Amino acid sequence: MKAGIVGLPNVGKSTLFNCLSNAKAQSANFPFCTIEPNIGVVNVPDARLKKLEALVNPEKVIPATVEIVDIAGLVKGASKGEGLGNQFLANIRETDAILHVLRCFDNDNIVHVDGSVDPIRDKETIDIELQLKDLDTVEKKLDKVKRAAKTGNKEAQKEEAVLLKLKEGLEAGRSVRAIEFSMDDYTDYVKPAQLITEKPVLYVCNVDEAAAVSGNEYVNKVKAAVKDEKAEVLVLAVGTEADINELDDYEERQLFLQDIGLEEPGSAKLIRSAYKLLNQQTYFTAGVKEVRAWTITIGSSAPQAAGVIHTDFEKGFIRAEVIGYEDYISYGSEIKVKEAGKMRVEGKNYTVKDGDIMHFLFNV
């Protein structure tokens, strides 16, 4: 699962990516590993993992991860191949969620590509290019489906109706995620179309240090503009985050954060937000060899969760022994949890909860 960072040139996109690449400077438990120049696998900060480590004292600890992609900048006309448009659109299509960076600060020393600071205009520039690309995709599909619909094909007629609704919405300047569909229509026709503006989005408002905690008028305008989009907004002082990362001493970094009113680096919030945006959650395995966070899609069954460890675990699933995270912390060990009768045995139909500590029994 990948989250792609997008934005116009000079809005702080690359600085944000570099902040994430320096996550290892914040805590040894959350390193960052560069796979390619513009792709990084970032560990998801999770205080629960540290608490489990303190109780179990394992040989190693393995956190959950999320993949972040720094996507090429965009210019007007990208949908027609202008600038790096084709590269941008190909890269963003491969991601599962979008982190859209918007410049929400004034600084005469940092030139804006359009000459002035206006996050709503910036948002619309990218939205329009992505919507135009989706419109092109929808129109091509519609041409094919219309021919089948004219023959009386009921399935084609249903798809034609959905595609026409998509076309109407995109032509009106609405992203696909803001257009309402029934669950059946979404599952059968919208999702398989793999449209760019259907992807979930987190708007990252890049502010100056003074607005790091409460935001500013630019942020308020962004929140008002996206209220109907089913999108989240995160306020982040990217330049300040970069300054914090320059400090070698952990205590100095904490003091810096306290001085501006933050409890933790904003990059940690961003990573967790990206994880949530990708519809992911975590369950744990805990033993003396390792304490590990495993990533699963929200709503996964026990066999599906077991399959993340190994496909044989899912194929031969018998049952799962499950301990709630709060119970594990409260009683302090697996043995004490068992003695208290708090360990549950769950079958194939169990839906895994975020934070479950699990042990699988299987037979292949």
Side-chain angles (χ1 to χ4, degrees):
M1 301 292 285
K2 299 177 184 177
I5 302 176
V6 305
L8 293 177
N10 257 15
V11 297
K13 185 169 63 71
S14 296
T15 304
L16 174 60
F17 187 79
N18 290 336
C19 282
L20 297 178
S21 73
N22 287 328
K24 62 185 177 184
Q26 296 160 17
S27 171
N29 284 332
F30 307 123
F32 175 101
C33 176
T34 301
I35 298 175
E36 294 177 14
N38 64 333
I39 301 177
V41 175
V42 185
N43 290 354
V44 179
D46 194 330
R48 298 174 300 182
L49 203 57
K50 288 185 176 182
K51 290 183 179 180
L52 288 172
E53 180 184 8
L55 291 175
V56 179
N57 193 27
E59 293 176 13
K60 59 182 177 179
V61 178
I62 303 176
T65 60
V66 61
E67 194 165 303
I68 305 292
V69 186
D70 186 17
I71 293 172
L74 177 112
V75 295
K76 290 177 183 176
S79 60
K80 305 299 181 186
E82 293 292 328
L84 291 172
N86 290 331
Q87 178 184 337
F88 176 92
L89 294 164
N91 287 342
I92 199 171
R93 197 179 292 280
E94 292 174 3
T95 66
D96 303 286
I98 298 169
L99 308 177
H100 187 159
V101 182
L102 296 168
R103 178 171 168 176
C104 294
F105 66 90
D106 294 304
N107 187 331
D108 293 338
N109 294 322
I110 302 175
V111 178
H112 191 287
V113 68
D114 287 326
S116 61
V117 177
D118 186 344
I120 307 306
R121 178 199 60 212
D122 295 354
K123 172 187 174 304
E124 289 174 352
T125 295
I126 287 185
D127 281 352
I128 288 168
E129 296 304 326
L130 300 186
Q131 288 162 4
L132 286 172
K133 193 64 180 178
D134 279 350
L135 184 59
D136 182 56
T137 301
V138 168
E139 287 176 338
K140 286 177 180 176
K141 289 180 73 69
L142 198 52
D143 286 342
K144 294 179 182 178
V145 170
K146 275 183 176 178
R147 289 193 289 271
K150 285 179 180 178
T151 66
N153 185 309
K154 298 294 184 184
E155 187 67 20
Q157 289 172 351
K158 285 182 182 178
E159 185 173 4
E160 181 185 26
V162 172
L163 290 171
L164 285 170
K165 186 175 180 180
L166 282 168
K167 183 174 184 290
E168 181 183 344
L170 288 164
E171 287 177 336
R174 298 171 67 201
S175 293
V176 174
R177 60 182 162 268
I179 304 172
E180 293 289 338
F181 291 96
S182 70
M183 184 56 69
D184 286 345
D185 284 348
Y186 175 79
T187 303
D188 294 341
Y189 308 116
V190 180
K191 190 69 174 175
Q194 295 183 308
L195 299 170
I196 296 173
T197 64
E198 186 267 327
K199 298 178 189 293
V201 63
L202 170 69
Y203 291 101
V204 181
C205 292
N206 182 13
V207 300
D208 56 23
E209 184 177 316
V213 176
S214 303
N216 55 28
E217 280 306 307
Y218 290 132
V219 173
N220 293 338
K221 289 179 180 178
V222 171
K223 288 179 177 178
V226 307
K227 61 182 173 59
D228 296 325
E229 260 195 57
K230 300 175 186 174
E232 292 187 41
V233 176
L234 179 72
V235 178
L236 195 65
V238 176
T240 303
E241 294 280 328
D243 291 339
I244 292 171
N245 283 343
E246 291 294 319
L247 299 173
D248 294 326
D249 184 74
Y250 173 78
E251 290 186 3
E252 285 185 16
R253 290 196 296 274
Q254 293 305 113
L255 286 172
F256 197 145
L257 287 168
Q258 289 174 15
D259 285 345
I260 60 175
L262 296 176
E263 295 180 0
E264 64 175 349
S267 56
K269 292 180 182 178
L270 175 62
I271 294 165
R272 285 198 298 269
S273 295
Y275 194 65
K276 180 181 176 183
L277 196 66
L278 291 165
N279 199 35
Q280 303 294 287
Q281 68 179 27
T282 300
Y283 78 87
F284 302 102
T285 51
V288 292
K289 289 290 184 184
E290 70 174 30
V291 166
R292 182 164 183 161
W294 298 90
T295 300
I296 56 172
T297 301
I298 294 172
S300 293
S301 66
Q304 289 171 328
V308 173
I309 300 176
H310 197 288
T311 53
D312 285 348
F313 282 30
E314 182 172 5
K315 291 175 184 175
F317 179 90
I318 299 172
R319 63 181 182 275
E321 295 176 344
V322 184
I323 302 172
Y325 171 77
E326 295 298 337
D327 285 336
Y328 200 105
I329 298 303
S330 177
Y331 289 96
S333 72
E334 185 176 316
I335 292 174
K336 289 181 179 178
V337 170
K338 286 181 179 178
E339 290 174 349
K342 293 293 185 178
M343 177 182 281
R344 308 189 310 276
V345 176
E346 301 286 0
K348 292 181 178 180
N349 294 326
Y350 177 66
T351 301
V352 179
K353 296 180 176 62
D354 186 53
D356 278 349
I357 291 94
M358 307 187 75
H359 175 68
F360 300 104
L361 285 83
F362 68 100
N363 181 32
V364 178

